[in-house]
Structure formats: structure tokens, C-alpha cells
Amino acid sequence: MSLQYFTPISGLIGGSLIGLSAATLLLFNGDVLGASGLMSSFVVAPVKTLTDPSQQWKLSFLAAFALTARVYITMIDPDALKDQRLGYGESTVPIASPLAFIVGGFLVGFGTKLGNGCTTGHGICGLARMSKRSLVAVLSFMATGVISASACSVTCPFNPYLRSSYETVVNNLPTNTTITVGTVIASLAAGSAISGFLRKSPSPNATKSEQDEYTNNRRKIIPSIFSAALFAMGLVTSGMTVSSKIYGFLNVKGISTGEWDPTLVCVMGGGLLVSFLSYQLVKGFNVIKNDKALECPLSQKKDGGKFSVPTNKTIDRNLFLGEAMFGLGWGIAGLCPGPAMFLAVAGYQNVLIRWWPSFYIGAFLAEKVKNIQIGKNSSS
């Protein structure tokens, strides 16, 4: 096995940056980095996400992420998103069809909402705090991701519908219109974040609890900006924004041909290590004894400040089914929410106009399913 496409150094560096992003959000804000949860909140609970002061950090995160992505591909490395393997016209690199982006986006949206997480939430953060629930989730989406990416070969009956020829690559590249749309989205996010930042302070008659809540919400903004910048840099540095790096790992048939690319292992490993170390600084989640572990996030006032770390240990059908669906979508389109955010801001057509709308439809429907389940459980 030659591992000719293996890039361990950039994978480790990029993964470590993603882990540092998660650590920043955790230690300073008390929040968990989860790309799917962050993005689905805009369709599942749009009013709350856009107007609730406690959700302001999400807008700041999205704005900083979009700005970092635009600056990186415009000023630092304009070729960062170019897939070198596609540049050589390699027939072994699968080209997702427009239908694959639609199906993949829907499955990822529905699956991550039903299973409550993706590669960042369950993978980088969940495994770092030794969550058995997240371990099951990761094993589920990795298994189905490998199956869908490996099985969708020329002999697969779905291949004509989910894969396109090399000549169609140009149809997914950014155009002036989609770049403008990506820029507008970034600008809207920035505008929303700024308007939230300028929100009026509580009246002099406000209670101490209300004043502390206002202060804590505002203090979350700066850490979320740094976290978002690190996340965007980590994704592009690791190569996770390039489809052949994803397919190169998930398609295990490449092991026998010398085309398998285990870079994703380094990305996950680097991110996990840094994230794991951050949890050793949080009381109740540290496995290494630490008498000085934090009981309150660094940016928060002790009155009202707390760590919002998931404690759900339930391993149920929703987890298995949701994460399995996520893995299928990941293998079909070669995208999970984090890289899809980056590519949408960059103006990639199929990601912007097919993958993301389908993701939101899937997430919306999954939330409806969960609400129906809650209603049945409460009435029984």
C-alpha cells in the first residue's frame, strides 16, 4: 500500500486547530462545538436563534467563520479548495451528481438532527469526554459512510444517478453569482451578529440575575469569534474541504489499489487529543485528577455561568438510525456540515443551491419526527 495521497502533517495540524476551536468554545463559553446543531438551529428554531441573547454567540460564530473562509480563499490561498486529484482527471475519484448533493444533504440533515450530532459534536467533542453514546454514533456513521462510498462503484445500480463524469466538475465550481450569494450570506451573518452585539443593556431597574445574564451573553461573543476562525482554518488546512480526501478515506477499496487516503484519521486524532485535554480542565468531565478543574467557563461570571455539556447517555433507535443516515449521506455526497459551510461561503454551486436546502429540509422533518415521538411518549 503506497499511501500516495496521505498528508499526515497537514491532517494533524488541521485537526489540532479544529480541536483548539472546540476547546476555546468549551473553556471560555461552556458550549460544545457542533456544526450540524449550530446550522440546524436556524431552521428548527429560527426566531430563538436570531433574537434570543443567549444564542448570540452562534451568529458571531457563523459570521467569523464566513469571514475567515472568504479571507483565506481570497487573500491567503486562492487554490486551497482545488482538488489536485481532479486536476489530473483521475477516473478513480468519484464525482457527485446534482442528485447526490440533494440526497446527501437531506440524509445528513435528517440524520444529524435525529442522532444529535456529526463528526464534530460526536467525533471531536463526544469521544473526547469518553461518551459511550458518541462512540456508538461515530461507529454508526463511519460504518455506513464506508459502505455508501465503497459500494457506489460502476457496478452499483444507483451509480448512474449518484455519480457524474469528470466533465461535469465545472458545473460545481463557483460562479460570479454564487460567489455573490456566498458573500451576501456572510454579510447577513455579520450584520446579525453586529446588531446583537449592539443590543441595549438592561435597565437600571433590572435584577442582578438579568444583568449577569446580559454580561455573560456578551462575554461569549469574542471567544466564539476566535473559535470560528480556528474551525475554518482547521478545515481548510486539513484538506477536509476537498472531496477526494473524504472519498479517499471512506472508499476502502482504495486499500488494495494503493489509493486509500487515511488523512482523516490524523484529523480526528489531532482534534480528539486537543479536545480531550480541554475536558481535563472541566470539573466533572476530567479523567485525569485536577484539583483546579473549572466549575465555571473562563469568560463567564460565576453567577449564572455554567458548562452546557450534553450528559445524555441514552443509546436508542434514534441514535443508531440518525447516525447511520448521516453516514450514508456523507458517503454519497462527500460532505458533512463543517466543510459544507466553508464551500457554501466560497460559492460552490451544488453545495449552496442543492446540499444546504436539502439539509435544512431533512433537519426540519427530523425535528417534527422527534416532536411526534415526544408527544406519543407523554400521552402513553
Side-chain angles (χ1 to χ4, degrees), residues 19 22-23 26 120-132 134-135 138 268-269 271-280 285-287 309:
L26 174 70
T120 48
H122 280 308
I124 300 297
C125 299
L127 292 182
R129 61 178 183 270
M130 316 295 275
S131 166
K132 293 181 180 178
S134 288
L135 176 60
V138 171
M268 290 291 289
L272 262 174
L273 177 60
V274 176
S275 184
F276 171 79
L277 292 175
S278 71
Y279 276 99
Q280 303 319 299
F285 294 94
N286 56 308
V287 294
V309 179

Side-chain angles (χ1 to χ4, degrees), residues 30-42:
D31 294 309
V32 173
L33 176 64
S36 61
L38 175 81
M39 296 305 292
S40 65
S41 66
F42 288 96

Side-chain angles (χ1 to χ4, degrees), residues 10-42:
S10 61
L12 280 170
I13 294 173
S16 297
L17 288 173
I18 294 172
L20 189 57
S21 167
T24 301
L25 208 57
L26 174 70
L27 296 177
F28 285 88
N29 288 5
D31 294 309
V32 173
L33 176 64
S36 61
L38 175 81
M39 296 305 292
S40 65
S41 66
F42 288 96

Side-chain angles (χ1 to χ4, degrees), residues 17-26 28-29 33 57 60-65 68 219-234:
L17 288 173
I18 294 172
L20 189 57
S21 167
T24 301
L25 208 57
L26 174 70
F28 285 88
N29 288 5
L33 176 64
W57 71 267
S60 301
F61 185 99
L62 183 59
F65 182 95
T68 302
R219 286 182 176 182
K220 283 188 173 186
I221 294 176
I222 299 302
S224 69
I225 290 174
F226 278 100
S227 175
L230 289 167
F231 187 43
M233 291 289 290

Side-chain angles (χ1 to χ4, degrees), residues 67-282:
L67 179 61
T68 302
R70 292 298 305 169
V71 169
Y72 192 93
I73 60 177
T74 302
M75 301 180 180
I76 299 176
D77 186 4
D79 296 328
L81 300 181
K82 289 185 178 180
D83 195 328
Q84 298 302 321
R85 290 180 67 177
L86 291 181
Y88 293 117
E90 287 192 31
S91 59
T92 57
V93 178
I95 309 299
S97 68
L99 179 60
F101 281 99
I102 294 173
V103 173
F106 177 84
L107 289 173
V108 172
F110 193 99
T112 54
K113 190 61 189 174
L114 192 65
N116 291 326
C118 59
T119 48
T120 48
H122 280 308
I124 300 297
C125 299
L127 292 182
R129 61 178 183 270
M130 316 295 275
S131 166
K132 293 181 180 178
R133 174 179 164 84
S134 288
L135 176 60
V136 171
V138 171
L139 291 176
S140 298
F141 69 66
M142 281 294 183
T144 53
V146 167
I147 290 172
S148 61
S150 301
C152 198
S153 60
V154 292
T155 58
C156 175
F158 299 108
N159 182 275
Y161 308 101
L162 300 178
R163 297 290 179 256
S164 296
S165 64
Y166 174 75
E167 288 72 23
T168 63
V169 172
V170 67
N171 295 330
N172 187 40
L173 296 178
T175 65
N176 289 334
T177 300
T178 56
I179 290 175
T180 300
V181 172
T183 303
V184 169
I185 292 174
S187 300
L188 289 174
S192 298
I194 292 173
S195 64
F197 185 76
L198 297 177
R199 185 177 282 113
K200 291 183 179 180
S201 58
S203 67
N205 297 326
T207 64
K208 183 178 184 302
S209 176
E210 291 174 333
Q211 292 175 346
D212 288 342
E213 182 180 8
Y214 172 81
T215 300
N216 282 339
N217 289 334
R218 285 180 65 87
R219 286 182 176 182
K220 283 188 173 186
I221 294 176
I222 299 302
S224 69
I225 290 174
F226 278 100
S227 175
L230 289 167
F231 187 43
M233 291 289 290
L235 289 172
V236 70
T237 300
S238 64
M240 294 300 99
T241 52
V242 176
S243 63
S244 68
K245 300 296 286 184
I246 303 301
Y247 286 129
F249 173 79
L250 294 178
N251 184 8
V252 294
K253 290 182 178 179
I255 295 176
S256 61
T257 62
E259 297 174 336
W260 188 57
D261 183 357
T263 301
L264 182 58
V265 175
C266 295
V267 178
M268 290 291 289
L272 262 174
L273 177 60
V274 176
S275 184
F276 171 79
L277 292 175
S278 71
Y279 276 99
Q280 303 319 299
L281 303 176
V282 180

